[in-house]
Amino acid sequence: MIDYDSFYIGGDWRTPATATRIEVRSAATEELVGSVPEGAERDVDDAVAAARRAFDDPQGWARWDPARRAEVLERFAQALESRAAETARRVTVQNGMPITLSRNFEGGFPPVLLRYFAGMVSENPQEESRPGMLGGTSLVIREPIGVVAAIVPWNVPQAITFLKLAPALAAGCTVVLKPAPETVLDAFLTAEAAREAGLPEGVLNVVAGGRELGAYLVAHPGVDKVSFTGSTGAGRAIAETCGRLLRPVTLELGGKSAAIVLDDADLASTIESFFAATLLNNGQICWLGTRVLAPQARYQEVVDTISDLARSLAIGDPLAESTQVGPLVSARQRDRVEGYIAKGKAEGARITVGGGRPDGLDHGWFVQPTVFADVDNKYTIAQEEIFGPVLSVIPYTDEDQAVAIANDSDYGLGGSVWTRDGERGEAVARRVASGTIGINAYANDPTAPFGGIKASGIGRELGPEGLHGYQQLKTIYLDPPS
Ligand code: NAD
């Protein structure tokens, strides 16, 4: 059992305002594995006040030389590294992510992101002197935007947390982090690492709670910027609040991306990449290509290859090294996924593999990897995000139709094109309405912007663009002509 009694606020562990608690269960065993305090509005007030003080301090974090901040972030990276194995274990226990993946994404990625953004601000000037047209010079400065409310989901909690924390802290912002209630235990480990690394007080504050507390944080008068990753529904609510307040907001929301298999694809030899691009993390990643578009001429072969893949996957204890598919995060999520499977059947799609719960796993929120063939893109299972190990194979006649189907979606986040011809793949990728897309693989590189269009969100994370989300521009007109 992992239990915490206090919140990390203002550089210290503080007694929460109320005695209410959040209990965390293992996705694989359903057993209680830990608990943390549930934050009340007063805890958020304290956390925002601490972040506000830290940001407004004239000698504080925001005013430090970026290289000095980078030194602290390097210590933070080291403190996270020394906890990486435990971080990965906690995430896996909480949300069912296969341990091999959580070592990489959850243990490994956060220090990489801290170093990347710390290097960016310390090695590149964040201001520029620009000769003007009117005779003077303009000094254009990228200033930290202020106090950031970072709200994250449970599916890839650490990587998503650091997509926000790393650029925000490097830029000189201070942060109030609210993790999802399903995955709080890893966030408290992050707080321990921050404390050990000597982050100045108030620079990072962590308060656990659910959606009401999140909504309270979003609207808090002490917050300057909201950075949210989660469902499109919650994103819309947050965008409404931020619109009313004229508060800058970055939204990374849902997806229903297309994996376009071209008629020259060699799916068998890229099957591992195909798995990673369509079914990784038990299907609980927003950018997965869960609509597989297959050419009519090779339709049956594609359906067979994908069905064989789904059948071959090792399902079970997510802490076991050999496991490729673990349980879903919660009973609620399993019910949701099973609801979509029932809907797909009712709409007329044909299950080729899976569709139920795996044999012999009587505890835990497992769902078999499931493939639907003969899916029409209009079906609910092709239009709505399922967030589970469920693929829909949709036939197309030619490239134009493949692109049209890919783009016939409310979402536009990820996607992939599968082909032996890289140039052809790129040409198709350019026509897909999506914030990101891969050729014969999909992986978010830290140096390139990641994010969505349409209902998948607003704004970008990663790359220099990810840093810019935590900066605001200020122009000082020097020597203006009289
Ligand atoms: P969710 O939207 O219910 O919750 C996400 C987080 O927001 C949680 O911390 C939750 O407590 C909080 N929250 C919920 N409603 C809120 C509100 N109105 N105001 C403030 N905070 C609120 O989503 P979830 O079920 O936890 O996560 C799954 C969803 O996240 C999926 O739809 C998935 O596609 C999306 N997601 C998107 C990305 C991306 O980068 N685009 C990445 C991961 C997950």
Side-chain angles (χ1 to χ4, degrees):
M1 284 290 285
I2 302 166
D3 294 304
Y4 288 89
D5 292 326
S6 43
F7 288 129
Y8 179 67
I9 293 176
D12 214 342
W13 292 97
R14 296 238 191 119
T15 307
T18 71
T20 324
R21 296 190 68 79
I22 295 173
E23 292 188 335
V24 185
R25 292 192 176 268
S26 153
T29 67
E30 305 180 25
E31 281 163 11
L32 199 60
V33 289
S35 69
V36 304
E38 177 167 15
E41 291 182 358
R42 247 187 307 143
D43 298 306
V44 169
D45 293 343
D46 278 357
V48 173
R52 187 80 263 161
R53 270 194 307 279
F55 186 78
D56 292 340
D57 179 353
Q59 262 80 51
W61 184 252
R63 310 275 164 172
W64 284 14
D65 185 76
R68 189 172 166 208
R69 283 201 297 272
E71 278 171 29
V72 176
L73 296 181
E74 171 57 31
R75 290 204 304 272
F76 193 12
Q78 288 170 12
L80 289 170
E81 271 170 344
S82 71
R83 291 164 173 78
E86 177 61 8
T87 300
R89 197 190 68 80
R90 285 190 189 185
V91 171
T92 290
V93 166
Q94 294 172 109
N95 75 0
M97 181 185 290
I99 187 72
T100 47
L101 185 63
S102 43
R103 271 194 210 117
N104 183 5
F105 273 22
E106 303 291 272
F109 208 37
V112 170
L113 292 175
L114 280 174
R115 291 189 174 114
Y116 172 63
F117 283 105
M120 193 181 292
V121 293
S122 55
E123 286 154 26
N124 302 292
Q126 298 302 311
E127 58 185 62
E128 172 195 346
S129 175
R130 220 178 267 181
M133 296 171 72
L134 304 178
T137 302
S138 297
L139 189 58
V140 181
I141 306 170
R142 288 191 180 277
E143 294 182 333
I145 202 163
V147 172
V148 173
I151 300 178
V152 298
W154 43 260
N155 63 329
V156 195
Q158 281 295 304
I160 292 174
T161 293
F162 280 87
L163 287 182
K164 303 181 188 317
L165 287 193
L169 297 178
C173 295
T174 60
V175 179
V176 177
L177 169 68
K178 193 205 77 63
E182 294 84 349
T183 48
V184 278
L185 303 177
D186 53 295
F188 279 64
L189 206 54
T190 301
E192 285 176 22
R195 189 155 194 257
E196 181 184 290
L199 254 73
E201 61 185 55
V203 166
L204 173 64
N205 310 273
V206 184
V207 181
R211 57 183 52 211
E212 288 79 20
L213 201 73
Y216 182 74
L217 173 61
V218 165
H220 201 287
V223 167
D224 298 309
K225 151 100 195 191
V226 176
S227 183
F228 173 76
T229 298
S231 60
T232 294
R236 284 189 205 280
I238 290 169
E240 281 180 20
T241 303
C242 291
R244 182 165 41 81
L245 297 170
L246 292 178
R247 182 164 290 172
V249 59
T250 300
L251 300 167
E252 300 288 1
L253 310 175
K256 192 74 196 179
S257 303
I260 305 176
V261 181
L262 296 184
D263 56 13
D264 67 343
D266 179 8
L267 220 46
S269 74
T270 49
I271 203 72
E272 279 182 31
S273 303
F274 188 84
F275 166 72
T278 59
L279 283 164
L280 204 65
N281 196 26
N282 322 329
Q284 300 178 137
I285 306 186
C286 48
W287 47 251
L288 291 172
T290 50
R291 290 183 297 149
V292 180
L293 310 193
Q296 202 65 267
R298 292 181 60 193
Y299 187 71
Q300 195 52 47
E301 180 203 333
V302 172
V303 168
D304 289 345
T305 305
I306 296 171
S307 304
D308 288 348
L309 166 68
R311 210 172 284 117
S312 74
L313 297 170
I315 313 174
D317 177 4
L319 288 168
E321 295 292 322
S322 56
T323 293
Q324 291 165 292
V325 179
L328 301 182
V329 68
S330 60
R332 175 174 152 253
Q333 187 66 13
R334 182 185 58 187
D335 293 349
R336 201 178 117 91
V337 172
E338 289 182 338
Y340 276 113
I341 292 174
K343 185 107 188 168
K345 283 196 236 173
E347 283 180 316
R350 174 170 58 93
I351 290 187
T352 64
V353 57
R357 298 180 184 178
D359 292 337
L361 293 167
D362 300 332
H363 297 286
W365 299 299
F366 290 93
V367 173
Q368 286 177 320
T370 300
V371 176
F372 276 106
D374 306 341
V375 176
D376 187 303
N377 195 51
K378 297 271 177 276
Y379 290 177
T380 310
I381 54 167
Q383 287 294 325
E384 295 184 12
E385 184 176 54
I386 298 176
F387 233 51
V390 182
L391 299 182
S392 295
V393 193
I394 303 169
Y396 70 82
T397 47
D398 58 24
E399 244 174 61
D400 284 349
Q401 198 194 16
V403 170
I405 294 171
N407 293 347
D408 180 12
S409 171
D410 289 342
Y411 296 105
L413 183 57
S416 50
V417 184
W418 303 82
T419 173
R420 287 175 212 249
D421 179 346
E423 277 181 30
R424 188 176 167 210
E426 186 188 317
V428 171
R430 284 178 185 272
R431 298 174 63 197
V432 176
S434 178
T436 63
I437 186 161
I439 315 282
N440 293 327
Y442 182 96
N444 303 137
D445 192 280
T447 62
F450 165 75
I453 61 171
K454 301 193 274 183
S456 292
I458 298 173
R460 293 292 179 269
E461 298 190 302
L462 294 173
E465 296 80 3
L467 179 70
H468 296 165
Y470 298 97
Q471 294 174 316
Q472 61 196 359
L473 290 167
K474 174 188 241 169
T475 299
I476 303 178
Y477 303 115
L478 299 172
D479 316 319
S482 51

